[in-house]
Amino acid sequence: MSTATFKIWRGDAKGGEFRDYETEITDGMVVLDAIHQIQAESANDLAVRWNCKAGKCGSCSAEVNGMPKLMCMTRMDTIDVDKPVTVEPIKAFPTTKDLVTDVSWNFEVKKKIKKFKPRPPDAEDGTWRVAQEDVDRVQEFRKCIECFLCQDVCHVLRDHQKTEEFIGPRFLVYAAALDMHPLDTEDRLEDLKDKHGIGFCNITKCCTHVCPEHITITDNAIIPLKERVADRFYDPVMRILRALFGKKKAAKPPAAEAGAHESTKVE
Amino acid sequence: MDSYKTFDYDVLVIGAGGAGLRASIEASGCGASVGLVCKSLLGKAHTVMAEGGIAAALSNVDGRDDWRTHFADTMRGGQYVNNYRMAELHAQEAPDRVRELEAWGAVFDRTKDQKILQRNFGGHKYPRLAHVGDRTGLEMIRTLQDHGIHQGIDVHMECTIIRLLKDGDRIAGAFGYDRERGKFRLFNARAVVLATGGYGRAYKITSNSWEYTGDGHSLAYDAGADLIDMEYLQFHPTGMVWPPSVRGILVTEGVRGEGGVLRNSEGERFMFQDIPDLYKNQTADNPEEGWIYTQGDKEARRPPELLTRDHVARCIVREVKEGRGSPHGGVFLDISWIKEKIENAPEHIRRKLPSMYHQFKELANLDITEEPMEVGPTTHYAMGGIRVDGDTQMSSVPGLFAAGECAGGMHGANRLGGNSLSDLLVFGKRAGEYAASFAKENDGATVNETAVADTIKWALEPIERQEAAGSASESPYQIQYDLQDTMQELVGIVRNQAEMDEAVEKIAALKQRADQAVAPGNREYNPGWHTALDLHNLLTVSEAVAKTAAQRKESRGAHFREDYPEKSEDWGGNSLVVRKGGDGEMEITREPVMEVPAELQEIIEENR
């Protein structure tokens, strides 16, 4: 057992400061435990979001010693407690109070992405036939717990505040999950280029680095989407084909017409 | 008086987990204007924690399965005191609800012939759980959320309801506050659906998050609705026990479904020693048969590790009590042993149980592909809840509906794993549908202004008391800890009269203290204040649990008494119903269990 000093940011949208709190550290404790202990002992009104305490809900995102983390999955024995431990809210979004930020923008952004649109069912009972190999890829993206740590470290959002022009890595992963869904027939490429600002991403991979679910955000989601956008809008050969055969087919034939639906999803 | 914002809806849904989201989608689809209120951000509700799967007789993996078998399994698991109508509808409709999720974009694991894959789980005769690795709850809530945001539902995130409002006998709306700013909100509604989940936070060791404070149970009780089966609370046999800070976090039953075994400190598969008569015919009597069952052998019977949760939890308690526990007071759950049986076992385990691998690696520094886990029982699920009509989900208060964990009856004395996610979908949909039609058929009601004023005054007391209190103040956190200790120690897995009577007295004393709780700070995002207000719900529910448990003088399902260790026929024919008496005191009455119609009884007998 040992004592640790925490420098916790206290304040609201108008401003605030770091305040020091001391608390006992016991076996196996995570940062969120320490925060809760401090809250119960000496700061009853310390605001913090949390739910599952097992890395499954993505509520307790914060910056611990400057690193974006889920507090519930950050063990105290991985942190040097000889020095004060700083805990502050994620910075890409406006502060509500203490460790809580206003992430409502993310919920608005999601609504603007065209929803899932499946092809007609394959079987009479209204179901589809899909092989495991064809869902492996989207299942990676669907692991996302919406902690928004990727949004927090994305410089386009964090430093340049391009919230009007750019949806951020979380929603590029969301768009990729829809676009690579074996049943989906919707076309989101034009939106990705014009409304969702996929061009702003310059693949610094900070998002991939902080993802607690270890989703390979840039390589597996964003780059393939960028390639599709480039093929559609910037490839001269495809442009000619499109002029000859119509708009959608060249880039992404509707599954119903394509016969073997698996092939429509492969790059 | 403090000001408040007013919102008007046909249907107000309280809670945005699986049941609340499904109810909102349905009500909205029926043409009702829908408001959805949740304490957390959208998509963070406790459903996200569900791991194993959704039970539905799709018969994709074993063609012998059908709704009848699922119904019989559910009734057997519930020790035949279930609301049979709910168990029937649940078994019949679950497959459609799962297929519907697929149509809304859910990506389930697949069989070799490209259908939705199903896995084995405790108490289910056939592989029945549609799943996505061990993160099925996340898949389900995200699918409902992503579908729901395009249905025109008005979502109020981080908003807590503290009172239901009535117009005479019927429901008229609800009153609450937004957690961010601490401002009050009035919701006028023709129908209200409660989908608030359970109350695991009344216990110290629990798999439940802070949200699980029995809000729906308590709101309905205060509004005059009946609660039923409150003595039945499920302790999941496998929660983490080490390190202390993660004690109670769930370890999915899927580990056992994939071949994981339970051992005591002597290395013994102790579950083979005590197989209840009700399950003798269906349970393997040797390890090899159990193993081949988990690997899909249709002739084999399931291993005793997959007996119902109430039974497995008690066996673990027995092993620990008799000195054969693990170093930190649990037993060993081992999946790593399957390397003796299959090649590439570590990779197989990581693929089948990715979040369990991750959870133990990150939180306990343990590699489950190499070592056994230490596990012990954790408070998990409330079978008891608001008494509802099986078809419509309406409570005894006209216009007030309940679905999911906060509704009672469906699971009887013990819930089978996987039956909760399907419950959320089946009865979330039904509640939404019938709430919408209630709203259509009934005119708007008028809320009682006095009730609103009383509620505001009550809600602000913990903050206003801080000036008067000074140093003698009572922290809401401390009261909650003391309640959790009381319930854990005195109304836990193994119960007796003296301890439960003591609990009832202690809860009464805690109620007095809660009336003096002080929340320092202001109204903006103040967890101390929120905790002080939640105490009312936790204490109401705890009182109901302790009092009904003290009354039921038999052991049945999750309710186990060392002073009455056997089932009693007399008690088995009766349910305990809780309601608020005219004097404000809790009344408990014995009412006969619903009689199962002959044609359903036949199904039960066929499957014995």
Side-chain angles (χ1 to χ4, degrees):
Chain A
M1 218 189 281
S2 61
T3 306
T5 304
F6 284 81
K7 282 189 175 304
I8 302 173
W9 196 87
R10 302 295 311 267
D12 55 26
K14 295 188 274 299
E17 59 181 7
F18 283 99
R19 272 188 234 158
D20 288 0
Y21 299 91
E22 285 204 348
T23 200
E24 287 286 315
I25 302 300
T26 50
D27 254 348
M29 240 166 127
V30 293
V31 171
L32 184 62
D33 293 320
I35 296 292
H36 279 152
Q37 211 166 279
I38 290 165
Q39 188 185 54
E41 290 165 358
S42 50
N44 280 190
D45 62 341
L46 169 60
V48 55
R49 270 198 193 104
W50 70 286
N51 272 60
C52 76
K53 215 174 139 340
K56 293 192 173 74
C57 75
S59 299
C60 64
S61 305
E63 298 187 6
V64 179
N65 283 339
M67 279 301 289
K69 297 271 191 191
L70 292 179
M71 288 188 278
C72 72
M73 296 302 277
T74 308
R75 289 213 315 267
M76 285 306 300
D77 60 14
T78 63
I79 295 174
D80 177 9
V81 291
D82 292 337
K83 288 177 279 188
V85 183
T86 59
V87 186
E88 54 196 308
I90 56 174
K91 294 208 192 74
F93 303 108
T95 300
T96 301
K97 189 185 159 195
D98 304 337
L99 300 177
V100 174
T101 45
D102 178 0
V103 291
S104 55
W105 172 80
N106 292 284
F107 292 87
E108 293 308 313
V109 167
K110 195 184 231 185
K111 285 190 208 161
K112 294 179 190 153
I113 297 165
K114 285 186 195 162
K115 69 175 180 179
F116 176 64
K117 190 170 136 194
R119 68 169 187 245
D122 303 334
E124 274 182 20
D125 64 357
T127 61
W128 289 266
R129 298 290 171 265
V130 185
Q132 183 63 41
E133 301 86 86
D134 296 314
V135 299
D136 281 342
R137 186 182 205 180
V138 275
Q139 282 187 334
E140 181 195 0
F141 305 145
R142 295 182 67 89
K143 285 194 302 186
C144 172
I145 56 174
E146 300 198 330
C147 64
F148 307 130
L149 289 178
C150 58
Q151 307 285 68
D152 183 44
V153 291
C154 175
H155 63 101
V156 183
L157 297 174
R158 186 183 179 107
D159 300 329
H160 307 292
Q161 296 290 320
K162 295 267 183 215
T163 48
E164 291 295 313
E165 297 107 307
F166 183 57
I167 60 175
R170 160 58 195 138
F171 296 104
L172 290 173
V173 168
Y174 178 67
L178 287 166
D179 212 53
M180 299 179 201
H181 192 300
L183 306 182
D184 183 63
T185 59
E186 186 57 90
D187 183 353
R188 299 175 190 82
L189 292 185
E190 200 167 332
D191 280 359
L192 279 166
K193 171 174 152 295
D194 297 335
K195 292 184 186 158
H196 304 331
I198 193 167
F200 279 105
C201 168
N202 55 353
I203 320 182
T204 53
K205 302 198 181 186
C206 305
C207 49
T208 304
H209 189 63
V210 298
C211 177
E213 284 293 313
H214 308 293
I215 300 170
T216 316
I217 301 175
T218 26
D219 289 10
N220 289 355
I222 301 181
I223 292 175
L225 284 182
K226 276 177 171 281
E227 283 170 352
R228 288 175 187 199
V229 169
D231 283 350
R232 165 81 67 86
F233 299 102
Y234 304 105
D235 182 332
V237 180
M238 296 300 272
R239 211 177 264 181
I240 293 164
L241 285 176
R242 210 163 37 245
L244 292 172
F245 300 111
K247 200 177 172 187
K248 255 197 97 169
K249 266 190 172 174
K252 186 186 175 190
E257 295 165 40
H261 62 269
E262 287 85 354
S263 64
T264 66
K265 285 293 168 179
V266 184
E267 292 299 317
Chain B
M1 192 171 81
D2 207 89
S3 64
Y4 52 82
K5 251 189 185 170
T6 303
F7 301 85
D8 295 293
Y9 299 110
D10 293 332
V11 176
L12 179 73
V13 179
I14 304 171
L21 278 165
R22 189 63 191 79
S24 304
I25 290 168
E26 196 63 22
S28 178
C30 293
S33 65
V34 179
L36 173 60
V37 176
C38 51
K39 292 209 284 188
S40 283
L41 298 173
L42 196 60
K44 309 294 184 194
H46 208 60
T47 304
V48 91
M49 292 283 289
E51 290 159 357
I54 312 171
L58 296 159
S59 57
N60 286 353
V61 172
D62 195 320
R64 292 172 296 181
D65 200 10
D66 62 1
W67 78 263
R68 291 172 186 83
T69 321
H70 191 183
F71 167 74
D73 285 352
T74 300
M75 293 297 289
R76 184 190 302 109
Q79 304 274 341
Y80 305 111
V81 294
N82 317 50
N83 176 327
Y84 76 83
R85 180 62 178 155
M86 287 173 83
E88 179 190 10
L89 290 169
H90 167 259
Q92 287 170 338
E93 294 176 3
D96 278 345
R97 297 288 81 76
V98 171
R99 288 191 273 264
E100 184 174 74
L101 279 189
E102 184 168 63
W104 293 346
V107 182
F108 292 103
D109 287 351
R110 316 303 296 184
T111 62
K112 288 210 169 64
D113 56 354
Q114 309 199 347
K115 296 177 182 169
I116 294 172
L117 181 61
Q118 298 178 274
R119 71 157 44 120
N120 291 312
F121 237 57
H124 293 282
K125 192 167 179 188
Y126 302 116
R128 192 175 280 148
L129 271 67
H131 63 277
V132 187
D134 54 3
R135 53 162 194 86
T136 314
L138 172 66
E139 186 69 21
M140 182 164 132
I141 200 166
R142 200 65 83 229
T143 301
L144 292 171
Q145 175 190 348
D146 294 348
H147 183 75
I149 57 175
H150 298 287
Q151 307 300 309
I153 299 160
D154 217 354
V155 183
H156 298 258
M157 292 198 285
E158 301 200 305
C159 180
T160 303
I161 297 298
I162 48 177
R163 191 74 60 94
L164 294 179
L165 300 165
K166 287 167 75 178
D167 182 353
D169 284 337
R170 67 166 282 199
I171 205 78
F175 194 76
Y177 62 91
D178 83 90
R179 303 172 72 86
E180 275 195 18
R181 298 280 156 244
K183 297 272 170 62
F184 291 112
R185 289 185 191 181
L186 170 65
F187 300 92
N188 292 312
R190 295 179 177 208
V192 171
V193 179
L194 292 168
T196 55
Y199 55 82
R201 277 281 139 185
Y203 285 75
K204 191 167 154 188
I205 300 171
T206 176
S207 63
N208 294 173
S209 83
W210 68 267
E211 292 197 284
Y212 263 42
T213 47
D215 297 10
H217 292 79
S218 168
L219 288 166
Y221 170 82
D222 284 334
D226 294 351
L227 307 181
I228 192 165
D229 294 342
M230 291 301 286
E231 64 275 34
Y232 301 121
L233 173 64
Q234 181 169 81
F235 298 90
H236 194 290
T238 58
M240 291 177 82
V241 297
W242 187 260
S245 65
V246 297
R247 190 161 191 147
I249 293 178
L250 196 63
V251 180
T252 176
E253 196 165 317
V255 176
R256 285 168 281 147
E258 299 295 342
V261 298
L262 290 166
R263 289 206 176 90
N264 61 22
S265 60
E266 291 163 12
E268 197 181 8
R269 292 267 303 267
F270 57 87
M271 288 306 302
F272 276 109
Q273 292 165 8
D274 182 3
I275 299 167
D277 289 341
L278 212 50
Y279 286 93
K280 277 241 156 75
N281 293 337
Q282 308 184 352
T283 309
D285 52 15
N286 66 82
E288 187 54 27
E289 185 182 3
W291 163 252
I292 59 174
Y293 172 89
T294 64
Q295 300 311 296
D297 188 317
K298 289 180 179 166
E299 300 311 311
R301 293 170 298 175
R302 59 177 176 261
E305 275 85 358
L306 289 178
L307 284 164
T308 53
R309 289 172 173 179
D310 53 340
H311 182 72
V312 180
R314 274 195 300 279
C315 289
I316 293 174
V317 170
R318 181 196 64 213
E319 291 303 305
V320 175
K321 217 174 190 173
E322 293 177 5
R324 294 185 297 272
S326 65
H328 302 104
V331 293
F332 296 105
L333 171 60
D334 190 9
I335 182 78
S336 70
W337 80 279
I338 67 170
K339 61 182 171 245
E340 296 166 19
K341 294 284 187 187
I342 57 172
E343 283 177 38
N344 293 330
E347 197 202 312
H348 176 80
I349 294 166
R350 279 195 296 268
R351 190 163 47 82
K352 288 287 184 181
L353 303 161
S355 15
M356 286 305 103
Y357 174 77
H358 191 59
Q359 184 172 310
F360 275 89
K361 194 89 191 138
E362 306 265 326
L363 295 174
N365 212 5
L366 185 144
D367 182 347
I368 66 168
T369 68
E370 298 286 334
E371 292 174 80
M373 300 157 247
E374 271 190 74
V375 296
T378 179
T379 311
H380 185 56
Y381 184 89
M383 271 73 72
I386 300 153
R387 176 147 81 162
V388 291
D389 174 76
D391 289 82
T392 65
Q393 298 289 292
M394 190 158 90
S395 72
S396 48
V397 173
L400 179 62
F401 298 76
E405 190 174 349
C406 71
M410 153 78 201
H411 306 287
N414 176 54
R415 173 175 70 79
L416 298 184
N419 270 2
S420 68
L421 290 188
S422 38
D423 171 0
L424 305 183
L425 295 171
V426 168
F427 296 110
K429 176 189 182 286
R430 282 186 166 266
E433 181 185 338
Y434 286 95
S437 57
F438 184 93
K440 207 172 274 174
E441 288 156 13
N442 291 276
D443 294 331
T446 316
V447 302
N448 181 331
E449 292 286 338
T450 327
V452 171
D454 286 350
T455 308
I456 290 176
K457 184 174 167 294
W458 172 80
L460 291 176
E461 278 170 2
I463 289 181
E464 283 163 359
R465 271 196 288 267
Q466 61 185 319
E467 280 116 57
S471 59
S473 68
E474 180 86 277
S475 152
Y477 296 101
Q478 193 55 50
I479 301 170
Q480 189 177 352
Y481 292 156
D482 292 349
L483 174 66
Q484 289 170 339
D485 279 336
T486 302
M487 295 302 283
Q488 189 75 38
E489 297 302 320
L490 304 176
V491 202
I493 302 172
V494 178
R495 304 167 169 179
N496 67 53
Q497 195 68 43
E499 289 183 352
M500 288 186 288
D501 290 343
E502 188 187 338
V504 170
E505 277 175 36
K506 285 195 160 172
I507 291 164
L510 286 164
K511 276 169 122 179
Q512 307 271 328
R513 284 171 61 193
D515 287 340
Q516 299 308 316
V518 172
N522 59 31
R523 282 160 64 176
E524 295 195 357
Y525 218 113
N526 183 343
W529 181 41
H530 304 161
T531 303
L533 297 179
D534 290 344
L535 279 176
H536 170 74
N537 303 333
L538 278 172
L539 286 161
T540 304
V541 174
S542 298
E543 183 184 350
V545 175
K547 283 186 169 167
T548 49
Q551 274 206 20
R552 178 171 289 276
K553 293 187 175 51
E554 66 155 353
S555 292
R556 180 175 299 273
H559 173 66
F560 182 80
R561 296 187 53 148
E562 55 192 1
D563 46 356
Y564 297 93
E566 302 299 327
K567 271 188 268 197
S568 118
E569 211 171 300
D570 168 43
W571 273 105
N574 288 284
S575 303
L576 290 173
V577 176
V578 176
R579 63 176 72 87
K580 196 173 192 169
D583 55 357
E585 291 299 304
M586 192 171 280
E587 275 175 11
I588 298 170
T589 53
R590 246 171 88 123
E591 294 184 26
V593 171
M594 295 168 73
E595 200 177 329
V596 180
E599 71 271 19
L600 291 177
Q601 192 60 42
E602 227 167 83
I603 296 173
I604 290 173
E605 298 308 328
E606 279 165 18
N607 283 280
R608 280 225 196 248

